[in-house]
Amino acid sequence: MTTSPSRREFVVRVASLSAALAAGAGLSACGGNTPAEFNFGVASGDPLANKVILWTHAKFPGSDIDVSLRYQVASDAAFTQVVSEGTVVASSSTGFTAKVDASGLQAGTAYFYRFSQGSTHSPVGRTRTLPQTADSLKLAVMSCTNYPAGFFNVYAEVAKSDAEFALHLGDYIYEYAASGYASSAAASLGRVSVPSNELITLADYRARHAQYKSDPDSKNLHALKPMIAVWDDHEIANDAFKDGAENHTTATEGAWADRKAAALQAYHEWMPIRTGADKAKIYRSFNFGNLVSLHMLDTRLIGRDEQIDIGALAGAAGPQARNAALAAFSSPARQMLGAEQMQWLQGQLTASTARWQVLGQQVLMGRMEFPVSVLSALNTSDLSEAAQLAGQKTVNDYLIAKATPASARTPAQADLMNTTLNPKLGYNLDAWDGYVVARETLLMTAYQLQKRLVVLAGDTHNAWHSDLTLMGLVVPSLANTKVGEEFATSSVSSPGIETYLATLNPAQIKGIFEGVVDDLNWMDASKRGYLKMSFSATEAKGEWFFVDTISSRTYTSALGHSRTMPA
């Protein structure tokens, strides 16, 4: 369908109404006669049955004086029926952001909210609380929002969708310098990253968050949908883990702990997330009646051990060396969530009586396993025609061997299907494929508790739907037993795997992945978009919506695929 101005103008219209009502009235002495500015709109998030986080940014132009604000929550857009109100301060200590947990609300109810400084009002936002009982639920799932890569047309689509709540699974900002990742078209689009340097300090992260929040589609989305969010790596640095990151060099960029602390402070300042005593702990649950329990996880910072380089496994010389490398890779000591978060999740799954258990988390959990022969062919750095033809032959040989009945395979084909000679490895060891025991522990918990498990994921910039199966690491007889399904969203604007496998067209990439990966049901290899998840007592349905461009604000959007998981 072709886009129209639609609800993008809602906030502007209501903000204009608020400004007209203010009629130029003066402010308190602290700000003189200059009104406070709400340049980044408003946002709501982390809704519960009786309260919700409200957020804004307010500042007097040219001044670092604190801004005292009043917040109001009302059942009507004219604010004649205010149900919750109070005060909050936007101060220099929080980068002039302000958050408040508005309480005393009714379950399953939609509200309007705003902030005011004197008689100057912020734009008006809309939010809603969680229901105590629910027959249905619609969630809009997003990930990987890269400002220099293109426009946030996907945000515009989510804002006008019928989803009741927005989920952001991480990479809400990117930390790279202005000349870094996905920035080739930034200047022509007027979207050059600010600051120009890579993010290191608190001031850097604050400035980048502010730039992302300045985007009109971002402001509109936040004003119209309460958001439940978790970070991934780029809110701090690429391929982060608990003790460091691929994109962090201590010698030139300082201590990792200092950089992480700055990034997390800015995140909590600029996101409508409930902030506790420990800013590093963001795993939490949301209950939508007895229909859905949503458990938001941190697979990135709180407990993750350092990633293993796939070259150390795929490149091991001979079966003996390879098996030794695989043994270290499969150590039970390797953590993804960390012991504390895993114990918490197991407790949440055990206690929940909801029909669906949904994990909102960052990286693919499905087994994206490729035989070493295919991995080597896909990962070659040799772009010559001869090398590419050889790689295509390697992939085709494996697919033909896989499709041939075992009794009819040639000796060479039998060797290709022999997992001792040609073992399978996950193509991306930054995902759960790099933490196989941790994944098995989680899936075994869901299996033993007989829970209906749905996993949501982002990170890859492409869309996926996979079965979640056991490897048999704990109980060998349960190998390949299905435990749940994974629905993974494409990116808002970050480029996908198609840019890394540039010698293959999207149809070829799709054919290879769907042909080689046993648990993969479907994938898209080229489009930006979001995932809408709809839940009822009888099914969980995933619908992948895609936009045709992020290089222009004029675009079209369409449903690209849908899959249903019966209860």
Side-chain angles (χ1 to χ4, degrees), residues 114-390:
R114 69 183 179 187
F115 293 84
S116 303
Q117 198 290 315
S119 51
T120 298
H121 303 300
S122 72
V124 173
R126 288 161 56 178
T127 191
R128 66 172 59 240
T129 51
L130 300 189
Q132 290 183 330
T133 60
D135 298 322
S136 64
L137 172 67
K138 293 178 181 179
L139 305 173
V141 185
M142 299 163 286
S143 179
C144 305
T145 312
N146 191 301
Y147 188 89
F151 296 110
F152 296 164
N153 295 334
V154 173
Y155 274 1
E157 287 300 298
V158 172
K160 66 184 181 181
S161 74
D162 61 352
E164 298 147 298
F165 302 91
L167 269 61
H168 202 293
L169 299 181
D171 293 343
Y172 182 89
I173 66 168
Y174 280 74
E175 85 282 13
Y176 295 110
S179 59
Y181 173 71
S183 63
S184 60
S188 63
L189 296 176
R191 297 177 74 84
V192 176
S193 292
V194 173
S196 60
N197 56 280
E198 185 176 320
L199 309 185
I200 301 293
T201 68
L202 176 58
D204 292 339
Y205 284 102
R206 282 173 171 173
R208 189 66 56 85
H209 273 282
Q211 182 179 43
Y212 278 59
K213 281 289 198 300
S214 71
D215 181 271
D217 291 313
S218 174
K219 288 194 282 188
N220 195 52
L221 168 63
H222 277 294
L224 290 172
K225 305 287 184 184
M227 180 176 284
I228 299 171
V230 287
W231 55 57
D232 195 10
D233 52 341
H234 290 290
E235 287 87 349
I236 308 92
N238 181 57
D239 284 358
F241 56 99
K242 64 181 180 181
D243 299 319
E246 177 276 333
N247 191 28
H248 180 78
T249 305
T250 301
T252 57
E253 296 174 324
W256 168 247
D258 293 340
R259 183 179 187 179
K260 182 170 73 171
L264 299 196
Q265 180 173 333
Y267 184 88
H268 278 278
E269 288 173 353
W270 283 86
M271 296 296 289
I273 183 174
R274 194 167 278 107
T275 301
D278 185 352
K279 293 185 178 67
K281 288 187 178 181
I282 59 167
Y283 53 87
R284 60 214 193 276
S285 293
F286 299 88
N287 295 310
F288 302 82
N290 282 326
L291 181 64
V292 169
S293 281
L294 171 65
H295 311 291
M296 300 296 284
L297 306 181
D298 176 4
T299 65
R300 184 56 67 181
L301 294 180
I302 198 72
R304 177 197 278 258
D305 288 319
E306 185 173 4
Q307 300 88 336
I308 289 177
D309 182 3
I310 194 169
L313 300 178
Q320 185 173 356
R322 188 174 292 144
N323 288 338
L326 286 171
F329 164 72
S330 303
S331 169
R334 279 182 59 73
Q335 295 284 329
M336 178 64 124
L337 300 178
E340 181 180 328
Q341 185 179 188
M342 178 66 83
Q343 185 177 14
W344 168 83
L345 178 59
Q346 290 172 326
Q348 295 296 103
L349 292 174
T350 300
S352 176
T353 58
R355 191 163 187 83
W356 298 97
Q357 301 300 311
V358 181
L359 306 185
Q361 52 90 60
Q362 296 83 347
V363 295
L364 290 181
M365 190 177 291
R367 293 164 59 185
M368 295 290 170
E369 296 172 336
F370 281 73
V372 169
S373 62
V374 175
L375 274 178
S376 298
L378 293 177
N379 287 335
T380 180
S381 58
D382 188 346
L383 299 181
S384 67
E385 182 179 0
Q388 295 305 308
L389 290 174

Side-chain angles (χ1 to χ4, degrees), residues 42-56:
V42 295
S44 70
D46 275 16
L48 299 177
N50 64 343
K51 57 185 177 179
V52 63
I53 295 290
L54 306 179
W55 175 94
T56 195

Side-chain angles (χ1 to χ4, degrees), residues 10 52 99 103 152 167 221 223 232 234 251 313 318 336 371 388 391 418 425 454 464 477 497-498 532 545 565:
F10 169 82
V52 63
K99 285 197 302 188
S103 59
F152 296 164
L167 269 61
L221 168 63
D232 195 10
H234 290 290
L313 300 178
M336 178 64 124
Q388 295 305 308
N418 185 320
L425 299 173
V454 171
W464 314 80
S477 62
I497 196 172
E498 67 277 8
K532 186 172 79 172
F545 290 88
M565 176 181 175

